[in-house]
Amino acid sequence: MGFMSKILGDRPAGTVDDYVELDLDDFETETDDAQMSVHIAEVQGQQDMIDIKDAIYDGDLVIADITRLRTEDTTVERITAELQQVAREVDGDIVQKGDDQLIVTPTGVGISREKLGR
């Protein structure tokens, strides 16, 4: 019996009805006070690297979706090497999640290599 089970008791797993769809239009999304933003980027080729690198140099975190690139293509290797260099330059961090995402962090932000939960 896990710790949360001891506190909450045994409950059945959540169902779709337990979740509520949120409409982002109902929330103010401008956060002028935030010191870092998280950007989602779809990488289709080398031309997308400029905006990604600018965001990292500006102190933002980038999650780059590379699914549109073929894994055997040398473009993936070039993009990964380029982002590794940027992460080194800003003293950030970089990991590849599966075959489809690269996560690059700015200065002072590390990425844990251990998964939470099970």
Side-chain angles (χ1 to χ4, degrees):
M1 178 179 278
F3 178 72
M4 291 303 290
S5 296
K6 290 179 183 177
I7 294 173
L8 300 174
D10 289 330
R11 295 179 8 181
T15 65
V16 174
D17 296 330
D18 293 339
Y19 299 94
V20 176
E21 184 76 28
L22 296 178
D23 185 4
L24 291 179
D25 294 334
D26 295 341
F27 302 95
E28 184 173 326
T29 56
E30 286 297 316
T31 54
D32 294 333
D33 298 339
Q35 294 187 10
M36 179 178 38
S37 295
V38 176
H39 298 276
I40 308 296
E42 288 188 15
V43 181
Q44 296 180 7
Q46 195 68 34
Q47 71 278 4
D48 298 319
M49 295 305 296
I50 295 170
D51 291 336
I52 293 170
K53 288 169 32 175
D54 285 346
I56 297 164
Y57 285 128
D58 288 343
D60 294 337
L61 185 143
V62 175
I63 301 172
D65 181 0
I66 58 172
T67 54
R68 294 187 182 241
L69 302 174
R70 294 188 312 246
T71 54
E72 66 274 357
D73 191 0
T74 58
T75 306
V76 174
E77 293 174 16
R78 281 195 313 266
I79 287 172
T80 303
E82 210 170 317
L83 290 177
Q84 287 173 331
Q85 179 63 32
V86 171
R88 258 186 247 107
E89 288 174 5
V90 300
D91 195 28
D93 201 357
I94 182 171
V95 295
Q96 183 167 351
K97 182 184 173 294
D99 290 334
D100 58 348
Q101 291 182 342
L102 293 171
I103 303 170
V104 189
T105 66
T107 305
V109 178
I111 302 171
S112 174
R113 279 21 181 210
E114 295 179 26
K115 291 184 179 182
L116 296 176
R118 296 182 202 192

